[in-house]
Amino acid sequence: MIRVGLIGYGMAGQVFHAPFVEAVDGLELTRIRESREENIRLANDRYPKAAVTANVQDILQDDDIDLVIVAVPNSAHYSLAKEALLAGKHVVVEKPFTVSSAEAEELIELAKSQGKVLTVYHNRRWDSDFRTIQKLVQQNLLGTLVEYRAHFDRFRNAVRANTWKEEEAPGTGILYDLGSHLIDQALTLFGMPKAIWADIRSQREGSQIPDKFETVLFYDKLKVVLTAGMLVREPGPRYILHGDKGSFFKHGLDVQEEALKQGLFPKALPTTWGVEPEHLWGQLNTDIHGLHFIGKVESETGDYRGFYDNVEQAIIGEAELAVKPEQARDVIRIIELAMQSSEEKRVVEVG
């Protein structure tokens, strides 16, 4: 049994980490670090066997804890992950990995020297829509891809009060937040691009952070367009793929996040967890073995348990790590280059 210490029981800890640690047989949530009273009450109610503390050292200095999850504001990811590694713990860091790629590289080298597993919670690889797209690409159902577009749009026209995500600070803004998901998915499918262009801006009145971005990743024949914004009341397709054999359009967002926010957890829905309703299935128009096919494609089942299943297996030496820290570092490098491109208003080569 791998004993887990969770640092941070805000939205990320409550929704994206604790439920999936609990859902994996080889993991045990042992301690939770949290200081806000309402979150402490919720943690005690949901996980009565886990000790809740306000002191992060109670987790880092606990010899019984094997794995530490860092689910705190982005600017503290590097320092807490470093402390945990130096304390001899395996580490999961909430995305984005770090603020800078230099920080990410330092943590990677430290994990190697400590002989510990280090990974980043790029859970959107286990979204139903992305898993479906992976299969389409792997099976070459669209032929040679020439264009891939991915959106992560929301409608929040007012700046939210009392949240670090709306404050001007290192690592805040929509490119680090939602952009890290889109970039990780693109790099998972296609690897590092040859060049990048980006436009990053603030659109909402009174916003202290970038709340809209569009970035283009250039490959040999493929153009990848990634965009996210906070002023999109009527969303279009989430994914659009075009190839020399056909096209694929997909609307809607993976259903797991909304279920989690409603207080539903994977253990309570063993057969229906992550299953998309038919009206969200993507539309495929292509040629398959000489036949012209137009119709819906049933979405793959999404399941964020896959991330923590893999972490548990990697720690005990039974599986290769799915989200390698080098991949998460590359996401941060693309973010840095996108910010450079937007500031200099030019296409930037990727070294």
Side-chain angles (χ1 to χ4, degrees):
M1 184 64 69
I2 295 168
R3 292 173 175 82
V4 180
L6 172 59
I7 302 177
Y9 196 67
M11 190 268 200
Q14 292 171 23
V15 173
F16 290 113
H17 292 283
F20 296 102
V21 170
E22 184 189 39
V24 174
D25 289 338
L27 300 178
E28 178 185 279
L29 186 57
T30 304
R31 284 185 181 268
I32 299 171
R33 185 271 174 190
E34 182 54 59
S35 58
R36 287 163 289 186
E37 284 299 324
E38 64 273 22
N39 291 346
I40 291 172
R41 286 194 296 270
L42 186 60
N44 283 324
D45 180 58
R46 287 182 176 173
Y47 307 102
K49 293 183 180 179
V52 181
T53 177
N55 188 349
V56 70
Q57 294 303 321
D58 289 340
I59 290 177
L60 298 181
Q61 295 178 13
D62 186 339
D63 291 337
D64 290 333
I65 289 179
D66 310 292
L67 170 65
V68 168
I69 301 168
V70 177
V72 297
N74 299 346
S75 59
H77 285 186
Y78 162 75
S79 59
L80 282 174
K82 184 176 181 179
E83 278 193 77
L85 288 168
L86 289 171
K89 313 298 186 186
H90 304 287
V91 178
V92 169
V93 184
E94 170 62 27
K95 64 80 198 165
F97 189 3
T98 50
V99 173
S100 72
S101 58
E103 290 176 340
E105 189 61 42
E106 182 182 337
L107 292 179
I108 290 168
E109 293 306 313
L110 179 58
K112 289 178 181 177
S113 67
Q114 294 288 93
K116 296 299 176 182
V117 168
L118 170 66
T119 187
V120 178
Y121 192 63
H122 279 300
N123 62 308
R124 296 288 176 180
R125 295 191 193 182
W126 286 267
D127 276 359
S128 58
D129 45 21
F130 181 68
R131 294 187 69 217
T132 305
I133 286 168
Q134 275 188 301
K135 278 199 169 181
L136 291 176
V137 173
Q138 289 166 358
Q139 296 178 16
N140 199 35
L141 290 180
L142 303 177
T144 300
L145 280 181
V146 294
E147 188 168 320
Y148 169 97
R149 292 179 176 266
H151 289 248
F152 206 148
D153 296 320
R154 291 173 172 168
F155 185 70
R156 292 178 181 166
N157 60 351
V159 175
R160 292 179 295 167
N162 303 317
T163 172
W164 62 268
K165 288 190 175 184
E166 295 278 15
E167 297 173 358
E168 185 178 5
T172 59
I174 198 167
L175 185 59
Y176 277 98
D177 185 16
L178 302 182
S180 61
H181 287 309
L182 297 179
I183 293 167
D184 178 69
Q185 290 180 341
L187 298 189
T188 298
L189 289 172
F190 310 119
M192 288 291 276
K194 293 181 176 296
I196 183 172
W197 171 90
D199 177 71
I200 307 165
R201 59 182 65 200
S202 298
Q203 292 183 328
R204 295 172 302 162
E205 188 70 30
S207 178
Q208 300 178 37
I209 61 166
D211 55 19
K212 168 69 179 182
F213 81 85
E214 180 177 5
T215 184
V216 181
L217 309 181
F218 297 98
Y219 297 82
D220 286 331
K221 293 184 178 181
L222 171 68
K223 181 173 77 170
V224 170
V225 182
L226 311 174
T227 182
M230 305 292 275
L231 295 179
V232 183
R233 197 161 200 165
E234 186 64 36
R238 179 154 159 75
Y239 294 97
I240 300 173
L241 285 77
H242 296 299
D244 61 7
K245 284 174 54 179
S247 299
F248 180 75
F249 279 57
K250 175 70 173 65
H251 289 77
L253 188 64
D254 179 274
V255 297
Q256 294 178 85
E257 180 175 351
E258 187 57 35
L260 291 160
K261 288 179 177 177
Q262 292 176 10
L264 302 173
F265 299 110
K267 273 195 169 182
L269 301 168
T271 59
T272 60
W273 183 260
V275 176
E276 278 198 342
E278 186 174 346
H279 72 273
L280 290 180
W281 295 355
Q283 181 78 7
L284 178 65
N285 184 342
T286 191
D287 290 324
I288 302 175
H289 302 306
L291 297 175
H292 184 198
F293 174 85
I294 302 176
K296 290 182 177 181
V297 174
E298 182 175 356
S299 297
E300 293 289 300
T301 299
D303 196 343
Y304 300 151
R305 281 176 292 192
F307 175 86
Y308 275 110
D309 274 330
N310 174 256
V311 169
E312 186 262 343
Q313 290 292 298
I315 288 173
I316 65 174
E318 294 294 329
E320 183 179 351
L321 196 61
V323 182
K324 296 177 175 60
E326 293 84 359
Q327 297 169 337
R329 173 207 59 204
D330 289 344
V331 171
I332 302 303
R333 184 61 185 141
I334 293 296
I335 289 174
E336 291 172 331
L337 293 172
M339 293 190 294
Q340 179 186 346
S341 171
S342 183
E343 183 178 338
E344 297 177 0
K345 300 187 186 308
R346 68 179 182 91
V347 174
V348 174
E349 298 294 321
V350 177

